Each structure stands twice: as structure tokens, then as C-alpha cells.
Amino acid sequence: MCGIVGYIGQDNALDYLINSLRVLEYRGYDSSGIAIYSPEGHIEIIKAKGKLNNLIELTKQNSQKGKIGIGHTRWATQGIPSDINAHPHADSDSEVAIVHNGIIHNFHELKEELIKNSQIIFTSDTDSEVIAHLLGLELKKGLSLKDSMLNIIKKIKGSYALAAISKSDPDTIILTCHDAPIVIGIGKEKDLFCASDSAALLQYTNKIIRLKDKQVAQLKPNGEFLIFDGKTSKQIAPQIQVLNADPVSLDKAGYKHFLLKEINEQPAILRKLLAHHLNDNLEIEFPELDKTLLDNINRILICGCGTAFYAGLMGKIVLETLAKIPVEIEFASELLSREILVDPKTLVIAISQSGETADTLLAVKAALKKGAKLLAITNRPDSTLSALAERANIFIQAGIEVSVAATKSFTAQMFCLYLFAIKLAENYKSIPSEQLNWLKNELRYLPQIMEQTLARGETYREKILPYAQLKAFVFLGRSFNYPIALEGALKFKELTYIQATGYAAGEMKHGPIATIDETTPTLSILLPGLTYHKTLHNCIEAKTRGAPSLGIIDDSDKEARQELHTIFEVPALPFSEEYKDFQDLFSPFISVLPLQLIAYYLAEHLGKDVDQPRNLAKSVTVE
Ligand code: F6R
């Protein structure tokens, strides 16, 4: 989604801005732009619809020499993707330029007022432009850019991360935010940076300050910065955070796409998580978790969006199976649609790769207001979600996920939830310790079997391509593989743009089977376990009605392979008769891989933009 960057220091700003915007490309965007305060005393704005390279081409036509600048990648919300709607936006006199992430909810009202009372002529269709005009009017009163910002945040409602520069206060970048992140980066040579995603800054610094809601920051070219409370206008002491993260690598490591690279990284991530959480004595540890988190809890509520929600659904199943605790799960956006029923005895588990998803953050804030406890499962220790959870974080350690479609973050989230569920089962003695030890040992085999599965990628590719012209697919799974059917369908539609719907296999005959004919393949997850035969029957019911039947089976399968038109074989997981109740417990880590790969290969075959599918954004920072 939208991204903000900024530079103020002794060097030319342009290179810093472009390099930082380059890193933010992974978030998904449809236009980009920069504003630089030039030595001649004016603000030069350059913006372009489409890829960042279009903007770079335009910057080559001029020589932007200024040392203060802001930049933006825009993912259209209000106003179509276009050069005009791209940020930065300026006021009528080009006195001030702003970049904005978020949505100004009262922009209609503010726009009407600005037109009526100040005869402002708007040039774009965006909500963001009102901010530039509001600031412009404050500056005309003779106020500094900082005081202008402090005044206008009292008028604007909604979510925003903002960066602004002005002609009348030329040595300054002003930042503020509300329900949207923005950080200051402290450079080595008195340079200061800003960004809405610290990933953009890591190439220059790992020392950041995360602005809190309604704080206003003033950055100066000599490396000085001040932070003010938006309500009282009083100066406050900054809290500097040192990030333990490597600069974002934009290297595909020989893979054609980041997506394929990230799919292949999954076994290594699980190994890393095992090394971090499971010690040689088979004890599971969560060093970043406050031990009192689980005291006095009588309810667990999981929330997230999209892929993170599906990981959460898996969390519900595994927590109920192992720890025997009833768990509820809701889409974060739905939690926001009515009163959130939580209290101090509720543990809310919020799952978010980015830690910046607006719906998830707002749901979490609403739950915290009611006294609920929070556990965050995120890939970003530097995120807003992680900060909200304070000492109750589980970091999925997947490394930056560049491809917009989530893959490695999904398996890492699931894996952390499995570890957490086993830990709770141990605490609550809900299953015998020898069974738990067996489960912990089994976890250790997963990376290896995942590698063996990924090595079959080419075979999966050959098997899915004959279906490339079909227009709708149905994905079926039960129990542990129900969330995988949902996630498999999501990945398939995101990447190929082909309609794909995931169902709990048992639901097929309650309606969806009406859509089935010879042009609607079903893809069933048919791995050994308690639900194998029931799922197979659902698959046959669809086949009987003409559906081409595709299935994920394991090498040991004897029955399903006879019923299926196309099989995607995966290696069999170790099996013990003694623990046969848990036979399908770990299969999601294997079944998800062919689903990710067929979505990837089909999308690639169809010529789709696999790393940045149309209309999608990596981090959805608006409601
Ligand atoms: C799917 C995908 C999205 C995200 C969702 C939540 O491939 O990427 O569905 O999973 O937007 O994002 P996070 O996990 O960052 O909160």
C-alpha cells in the first residue's frame, strides 16, 4: 500500500528518496512521486503513474539538487491511479507539499469548507489534497510548518501518516501520524530520514524513532529533531529503538521471482524457529513472551486478515486439538463492525505479517481498551502491532516478505501457533507427556519433508498447466486441511486472477455443488488421517457431476489416486499406529506447498505479475 519516505541532510535528497522508494515497491502501488526543496527556493514536484521506473525517467530530465525531500508510492483509495492523483500534493501557491498514507474520513466536509470559505481550486480527486490546502492556509497566517501541522491535526479525522515540506520553512520536514505508522531514521552523518515502513531505511540506519498517534516531529538538516505532543504542543523525549534487522535484500537469489524464492525459503524458516523455540531437552521456550500472559485467562480470540486469518484458523484447530481450549476466531474487519466482546480474562491473539494492517490494529486497540490481554504474532518486531503487544510477541522470523502474496509468513505463523499450542498443552497437561514429546520430535522432520516436496515443483507445474484455460476452481479440505483449502484458493486467485473458492469439504453438498460441471475442477486435499475417506467421498460426488478431480495425495496413497484425474503427490509423513489420532496434524505444512507452487506456476504461465498482482497491496494500512 502507500509508502512514505523522506530525507533531510547534507547530501542530494534524490538518490536517497529513489533508493528508499525502491524498497517500498514490494508493498504494491500504482503511482509514485517526490517533492524536493530546491536551492533556488521552490518546491519541485515530480510524479508518475505506474512503476517507479516511470518516475526515475522523469527525474533524469531535470537536475534536482535539493537536500530536503519527501517521496511516496500510492495505492489508490480515493481517486483513480493517475499522474494527478499521485502524491506529493501541493497547496494552490505551491507553498507546501505533502505525502499522505491513510484516509481522511471528513475530507468531503473539509473540501466543501475550503472551496466555500477560501475559494480553493482542487486539482486532484484525492482526500489527501485537503491536507496541503489546510497547511497552506495556516502558513499564510505566518505560522511555522510545525505549528501549522499542530493546528490542522485538530481538524482532520481519520488515519494518516504525513510528511510535509514548505518554502516558508525550508529547512524542515514535519511528520505526524494517527492510526498509521511513520518512523524517523537517525543517520550516521547527521542525516535524518523518515519512512512509513522502516524497511525503507534499513539501508541507511537501524536507529529509529516510531512516532505515536498525534505526535508531530520536526526534522532539521543538521541532524536535530524535536517531537511534540499533538494535544498539548509540548515537547517530548524521543524513544530511540535500535532494530536488529538486515537491510532489505532485493536480490532474488537466482529465482525468477521473489515469490518462488520465498516459497523455497520455508523449510529454512522452520529450522530457524525450531532452533529458537525448541531446545535439546525438548522444551519449548518463548523468550519474548511475558510469563504472566496466560494467568487468569478464560477465553482466546484470534483475529487477523486474509492469509493471516487462515493461519489463525489453523491456530484455532490446533489449540483446540492439543490444548483443549475453546478458541474463537474473527476477521479483524468484522470485529470492528460491532461491539467487541472481550474483557481482562480474554487473550486476543492478533496475527499479522506486517504488523501494520489497519483492520487488525484497530481491532486490537478496541480490545485493549476493554482490558483484554494481547499476544501478537508478527514478522516485524518494529511494527505497530509488536509495540502494542509490548512483552507478548511471537516473532515468526520469516525475513522480509517481498512478494505481495503471503507464503512463507503463512507457514511460519502456523508453525508458531503449533509451538504455542504444544506449549499450552504441556502447561494444561491436556495430553500425555509422551504424546507431546512425540509431537515435538515430529516437528523436527518437517523442514526435510518440505524440501522433498518443493523439489517436485516442476512436476506440479506440468500437471496444472493443462487446466490453464478454465475459469473457476473449487478447493476442498477438512479439519487441519480446511484452512489450507481456503489459503490455497486465496493464493490461486490472487496470483492467477482465476476464480477459486475454498470450502470445508463437508459443505460441498450444502450448496456449492450446484456450481459444479465439467469446467469446474475440484482440488481436494486427500492426505492420510481421520478425515481422508469423508473428503474422498466429497471429491467423488463432484466428479460424478462431471468435475475434473485433482487431488493432493501422498506417495503411500492407494485409493484416492484411482479416483483422481490429476494427482499432486507429496512425500508421506512418518506414521505411527500408536499416534494415529495425530496423523493429519502436520500435513498442512506439506499440503500447502503444492498449492502455492501450482498458483505460482499457473500465474507465471499466464503471464501475470506474480510478485505484485494487480490491485493488491502488501500491507493494507486503510480500513
Ligand atoms: C494474501 C495476503 C493478504 C494478507 C493480509 C494480512 O496473500 O498477503 O491476505 O495476508 O492482508 O496482512 P498482514 O499479515 O500483514 O496483516
Side-chain angles (χ1 to χ4, degrees), residues 305-308 352-354 357 404-406 490-491 494 620:
C305 306
T307 291
S352 171
Q353 185 283 129
S354 62
T357 298
V404 168
L490 179 64
K491 233 44 353 150
E494 282 181 307
V620 183

Side-chain angles (χ1 to χ4, degrees), residues 482-556:
Y482 163 45
I484 300 298
L486 299 182
E487 170 60 9
L490 179 64
K491 233 44 353 150
F492 198 84
K493 63 189 151 205
E494 282 181 307
L495 297 174
T496 66
Y497 313 159
I498 297 172
Q499 211 24 271
T501 315
Y503 293 109
E507 276 296 296
M508 262 304 269
K509 51 186 169 307
H510 299 289
I513 200 161
T515 64
I516 292 297
D517 65 17
E518 33 305 306
T519 66
T520 322
T522 58
L523 201 163
S524 310
I525 305 170
L526 290 159
L527 295 181
L530 300 176
T531 61
Y532 171 86
H533 281 107
K534 286 186 186 173
T535 311
L536 182 56
H537 287 144
N538 300 132
C539 161
I540 294 169
E541 281 155 13
K543 182 184 168 197
T544 313
R545 285 154 182 88
S549 48
L550 290 66
I552 296 177
I553 59 171
D554 80 6
D555 291 340
S556 71

Side-chain angles (χ1 to χ4, degrees), residues 327-376:
V327 177
E328 290 159 73
I329 173 152
E330 265 291 9
F331 289 112
S333 55
E334 280 301 306
L335 284 176
L336 290 171
S337 310
R338 53 182 193 274
E339 191 190 345
I340 179 164
L341 295 181
V342 294
D343 62 25
K345 292 193 167 181
T346 312
L347 174 66
V348 172
I349 304 182
I351 307 175
S352 171
Q353 185 283 129
S354 62
E356 300 296 354
T357 298
D359 288 330
T360 308
L361 291 179
L362 290 171
V364 160
K365 286 179 184 172
L368 287 175
K369 251 191 196 158
K370 290 201 157 189
K373 287 190 173 179
L374 173 65
L375 165 61

